[in-house]
Amino acid sequence: QKEVEQNSGPLSVPEGAIASLNCTYSDRGSQSFFWYRQYSGKSPELIMSIYSNGDKEDGRFTAQLNKASQYVSLLIRDSQPSDSATYLCAVNSGWDSSYKLIFGSGTRLLVRP
Amino acid sequence: ETGVTQTPRHLVMGMTNKKSLKCEQHLGHNAMYWYKQSAKKPLELMFVYSLEERVENNSVPSRFSPECPNSSHLFLHLHTLQPEDSALYLCASSQEGTNEKLFFGSGTQLSVL
């Protein structure tokens, strides 16, 4: 069973701090990795994608990928109360199922003013 | 028009009712998806259509019946549902070959009494 694991949280950080969200996955053949943000009562929204080892930065967001450790993370710098949401990690399940993204259960982030 | 629209936003139905969920995408994508999101559980892929052909049926009970008349429209027909089917049903679309970047609709919150 291919799995994506996330700590459910809540992860509570003060405004202005760095929030670090982590995700591990079981399928070594995974090629594509995504972070989605979901506000309460809303649908998931893609915020980052990463395909190769290392860091990828986009504004206040940095995605980090380590395929050897099967680990992907999302850093949010200068956290704002508006960043409070559930963050979903999603992983492509490999070449044998190109349509299938496996989602984690999500980490709830709470940014305190 | 927003990218992916779903109707209705909320639906309450009895176990003997028949209802349908509708999804329309305005992004020019050629793949559409139905996902189920239950509380505290990962997003579950239900069905995938690519170029109007079903390419994935993720062991979903037959009381859920999808229909994709063209690349812009997707339906989920519901009949004789169970209370445990109460969940948020999300439609998504993507462009085949773009590493499964999904764009979600607002979802239908379904309650089965």
Side-chain angles (χ1 to χ4, degrees):
Chain A
Q1 180 76 2
K2 296 170 182 174
E3 294 182 342
V4 176
E5 299 286 343
Q6 294 182 257
N7 188 318
S8 62
L11 172 66
S12 181
V13 301
E15 184 174 356
I18 296 175
S20 178
L21 305 163
N22 304 314
C23 172
T24 59
Y25 59 94
S26 63
D27 182 7
R28 284 198 169 273
S30 298
Q31 302 290 326
S32 311
F33 306 85
F34 304 91
W35 284 98
Y36 286 80
R37 177 177 62 200
Q38 188 173 23
Y39 291 112
S40 180
K42 302 292 185 182
S43 58
E45 172 193 13
L46 179 67
I47 54 172
M48 288 290 286
S49 59
I50 187 166
Y51 307 101
S52 55
N53 280 328
D55 294 1
K56 178 182 178 183
E57 187 174 319
D58 184 1
R60 296 187 295 113
F61 299 100
T62 299
Q64 299 176 316
L65 175 61
N66 184 327
K67 289 186 179 180
S69 301
Q70 295 175 242
Y71 178 95
V72 58
S73 64
L74 179 70
L75 302 178
I76 306 175
R77 289 182 300 282
D78 188 24
S79 295
Q80 301 297 309
S82 59
D83 294 325
S84 298
T86 297
Y87 290 80
L88 306 175
C89 175
V91 176
N92 170 272
S93 66
W95 296 114
D96 62 335
S97 269
S98 61
Y99 295 98
K100 186 176 289 186
L101 278 184
I102 307 297
F103 282 85
S105 298
T107 297
R108 187 167 151 239
L109 173 66
L110 182 63
V111 181
R112 309 186 304 271
Chain B
E1 287 283 3
T2 55
V4 182
T5 56
Q6 283 187 248
T7 56
R9 292 295 304 275
H10 303 274
L11 179 61
V12 179
M13 59 187 290
M15 291 193 289
T16 59
N17 291 157
K18 290 184 180 181
K19 296 286 184 182
S20 295
L21 310 184
K22 179 183 176 182
C23 177
E24 183 175 359
Q25 61 96 0
H26 308 276
L27 300 169
H29 290 163
N30 57 16
M32 296 187 76
Y33 309 73
W34 281 115
Y35 278 87
K36 176 184 178 182
Q37 189 173 36
S38 304
K40 306 294 185 185
K41 294 177 69 175
L43 278 165
E44 300 173 52
L45 179 63
M46 301 176 71
F47 301 104
V48 181
Y49 279 82
S50 176
L51 300 172
E52 301 150 45
E53 287 192 24
R54 190 190 306 181
V55 295
E56 183 83 26
N57 177 354
N58 208 23
S59 302
V60 178
S62 59
R63 57 186 183 269
F64 296 91
S65 175
E67 178 189 0
C68 186
N70 55 61
S71 60
S72 299
H73 293 86
L74 185 65
F75 295 90
L76 187 63
H77 304 299
L78 316 172
H79 64 98
T80 59
L81 295 191
Q82 304 299 309
E84 60 264 29
D85 296 323
S86 299
L88 179 67
Y89 289 84
L90 290 161
C91 174
S93 71
S94 72
Q95 185 62 28
E96 188 179 352
T98 58
N99 289 306
E100 297 82 65
K101 291 181 181 178
L102 295 176
F103 293 81
F104 286 90
S106 300
T108 296
Q109 187 65 53
L110 174 66
S111 297
V112 182
L113 305 178

